[in-house]
Amino acid sequence: MLTVREITASDHVDFIRGRRSASFLQTPAWGRVKSEWRRESIGWFRGGELVGAGLVLYRQLPKVRRFLAYLPEGPVLDWSDEDLAAWLTPMAAHLKSQGAFGIRMGPPVVTRRWDTATVKEGIADPAVRRLGDLPPTERSPEGARVVAQLTELGWRPPPEGGGFAAGQPRHVFQIPLAGRSEADVLAGMNQLWRRNIKKAAKEGVEVVSTGSTSGQDLEAFHELYVHTAQRDHFTPRPLSYFRTMIEALGAEDPDRIRLWFARHEGTLVASTIAIRVGAHAWYSYGASSTEKREVRGSNAIQWQMIRDAIAAGADVYDLRGITETLDADDPHIGLIQFKVGTGGEAVEYVGEWDLPLNKALYAAFDMYMRRRG
């Protein structure tokens, strides 16, 4: 029988370190980054043994001391177990005792994959509008079983388009690295990517990384990031957010987070943030200069990040979210095409799921978040 109770941050970190892969959103440090939420580390115990862990973020309902309990890209447990009720029932009971009126989680379980060739064919075909229109290269029986079990246990996907429904991406783009050399990965990229990497080297683009939290490094990244936001029409996060993020994740593990810089003749042309937990490496944030785009700093910095992930023994390099659209007229298609050029694969997860513990409060919270936009 499994039991769930609060655990210390150090026990949580030790459990994560013992696993090949876990989302950085499920580390105790991420709770420090999301300072507007109350945080708790919970553990699953079989007897005295810690066999699962999760970061819970609690968002309070206005004027009421009741909370939505959120486990982004988690929890970290044995999702292959055919009896998920044994894991989720004690979790729900614990979170309810902490004042939760509802739970939202994002099981790190894959449902489908599409290789690069399939995605490229879909983009080129006017009849294909969405990733789901394409036959997947691989279907996951485990993913289908998890979806079926969650449905049976009363969990449900969040309301479509709801204010808080915009959680973590369901579709991501990843480059498998396990058992592959740099030459293998480079050969899997398309001709344009290989040419751009070669051109950046010829032009003398220099790429360096640092785990430093010095203000000068972070300010250089943020200045370019704000420039990118203005050009690409998105709302940038403040400098303070990135300072907290780098300090929190870096304090938990010195290899957790790094800043990357690509310069051409002393000019910063691209900058990124990379995160790694165990054998899973992520490209988290990126920025690029509008000037000197011809020196291909964005390709150079990504290639060096991939090489670094390979050297660190990573199984996967994760380029994070993509939209499901494959419509050539969609403004997001350029980002997908950039990622597809790396020769990786589009991956679909089971997505986020909700368990309302108090249906009236859950409905009120969803309405509140919709109004906030």
Side-chain angles (χ1 to χ4, degrees):
M1 180 179 172
L2 290 162
T3 57
V4 173
R5 64 175 184 266
E6 184 175 4
I7 58 175
T8 65
S10 60
D11 284 345
H12 188 170
V13 171
D14 287 345
F15 181 80
I16 294 289
R17 283 197 184 115
R19 297 182 68 91
R20 194 77 184 152
S21 176
S23 173
F24 65 91
L25 303 180
Q26 278 297 294
T27 62
W30 192 251
R32 289 178 55 201
V33 178
K34 308 307 284 186
S35 57
E36 69 275 23
W37 301 66
R38 178 165 67 88
R39 64 186 185 270
E40 180 189 31
S41 289
I42 60 172
W44 280 256
F45 289 85
R46 185 176 284 118
E49 182 187 4
L50 181 63
V51 293
L55 172 69
V56 186
L57 301 173
Y58 293 96
R59 172 64 67 89
Q60 187 173 347
L61 193 64
K63 301 178 183 178
V64 184
R65 283 202 57 78
R66 300 294 295 278
F67 305 86
L68 179 85
Y70 182 38
L71 296 94
E73 297 185 1
V76 183
L77 50 80
D78 182 7
W79 289 100
S80 66
D81 193 328
E82 296 196 9
D83 182 14
L84 287 181
W87 297 83
L88 300 180
T89 301
M91 178 185 79
H94 173 80
L95 299 181
K96 189 173 184 177
S97 76
Q98 297 297 301
F101 61 82
I103 307 167
R104 177 163 298 175
M105 65 177 181
V109 178
V110 172
T111 53
R112 297 184 289 181
R113 300 176 189 271
W114 295 264
D115 64 19
T116 288
T118 302
V119 178
K120 284 171 66 176
E121 287 170 12
I123 293 171
D125 186 345
V128 175
R129 307 297 293 271
R130 301 171 70 82
L131 199 55
D133 296 338
L134 294 170
T137 313
E138 177 188 322
R139 289 183 189 272
S140 165
E142 180 182 309
R145 187 176 65 249
V146 167
V147 167
Q149 284 202 64
L150 290 177
T151 304
E152 288 171 8
L153 293 170
W155 293 78
R156 63 194 194 197
E160 278 290 325
F164 189 67
Q168 300 308 315
R170 182 172 181 178
H171 296 89
V172 301
F173 204 85
Q174 299 176 345
I175 306 173
L177 300 180
R180 302 176 75 197
S181 66
E182 286 183 16
D184 295 332
V185 175
L186 190 61
M189 293 182 175
N190 69 13
Q191 188 177 9
L192 181 61
W193 259 85
R194 293 197 301 271
R195 189 164 64 235
N196 286 346
I197 289 168
K198 192 172 182 179
K199 181 170 186 182
K202 187 177 179 181
E203 293 282 352
V205 173
E206 296 179 341
V207 179
V208 297
S209 75
T210 177
S212 164
T213 58
S214 80
Q216 193 173 4
D217 286 335
L218 190 54
E219 284 166 16
F221 160 80
H222 193 258
E223 185 177 344
L224 193 61
Y225 165 75
V226 170
H227 165 82
T228 305
Q230 292 168 343
R231 183 190 68 221
D232 296 347
H233 310 292
F234 65 86
T235 303
R237 291 188 180 276
L239 177 62
S240 58
Y241 178 86
F242 292 104
R243 184 175 289 117
T244 300
M245 181 177 172
I246 288 172
E247 288 176 354
L249 271 66
E252 188 171 273
D253 188 316
D255 295 325
R256 180 79 80 233
I257 188 165
R258 296 192 73 80
L259 281 165
W260 289 82
F261 302 94
R263 292 183 173 88
H264 178 255
E265 297 176 346
T267 301
L268 186 62
V269 292
S271 186
T272 57
I273 293 176
I275 300 174
R276 184 166 59 83
V277 179
H280 199 128
W282 290 267
Y283 159 52
S284 184
Y285 283 92
S288 62
S289 172
T290 304
E291 297 178 356
K292 293 194 170 189
R293 300 191 88 166
E294 72 280 359
V295 302
R296 305 303 178 189
S298 292
N299 297 94
I301 204 168
Q302 287 290 341
W303 175 231
Q304 191 55 49
M305 289 164 72
I306 292 165
R307 293 178 68 198
D308 187 68
I310 293 169
D315 293 334
V316 62
Y317 181 78
D318 196 324
L319 288 138
R320 294 294 282 168
I322 56 172
T323 59
E324 202 190 355
T325 183
L326 295 180
D327 186 343
D329 296 326
D330 191 287
H332 297 102
I333 196 68
L335 181 62
I336 297 170
Q337 288 172 320
F338 178 79
K339 293 181 180 184
V340 167
T342 64
E345 58 187 12
V347 179
E348 179 189 66
Y349 285 89
V350 298
E352 296 194 324
W353 289 75
D354 286 7
L355 182 67
L357 300 173
N358 181 313
K359 291 182 180 178
L361 287 178
Y362 172 82
F365 181 83
D366 188 63
M367 186 177 296
Y368 164 71
M369 294 305 291
R370 285 172 189 265
R371 285 176 180 164
R372 289 189 67 202

